Amino acid sequence: WAAMADPPLTVVEQPVADLAVRATGLLLSRIHASESSPPTLVRLSVRLVERASVAPPPSPQKGDPK
């Protein structure tokens, strides 16, 4: 949907299928565990998708403070 906006929006693409698989596995592990376990940190790689909503910073105008 972000590519259909005007201008097309820059997004952080997340691996949705991997997120679902990991979340399901962690949930099932907690359900079947006999004792409570501490939270698990899972890091998955993401990708920045730059589209037309990204622009360089504006150039300073004459007389503007730095």
Side-chain angles (χ1 to χ4, degrees), residues 31-47:
I31 289 171
H32 296 298
S34 58
E35 294 183 18
S36 176
S37 59
T40 303
L41 175 65
V42 177
R43 292 181 189 226
L44 300 174
S45 42
V46 297
R47 183 173 74 97

Side-chain angles (χ1 to χ4, degrees), residues 21-62:
V21 168
R22 297 283 184 104
T24 302
L26 290 169
L27 178 60
L28 290 173
S29 294
R30 287 197 90 137
I31 289 171
H32 296 298
S34 58
E35 294 183 18
S36 176
S37 59
T40 303
L41 175 65
V42 177
R43 292 181 189 226
L44 300 174
S45 42
V46 297
R47 183 173 74 97
L48 180 64
V49 180
E50 290 185 28
R51 296 194 176 107
S53 61
V54 175
S59 299
Q61 300 297 317
K62 187 175 182 178

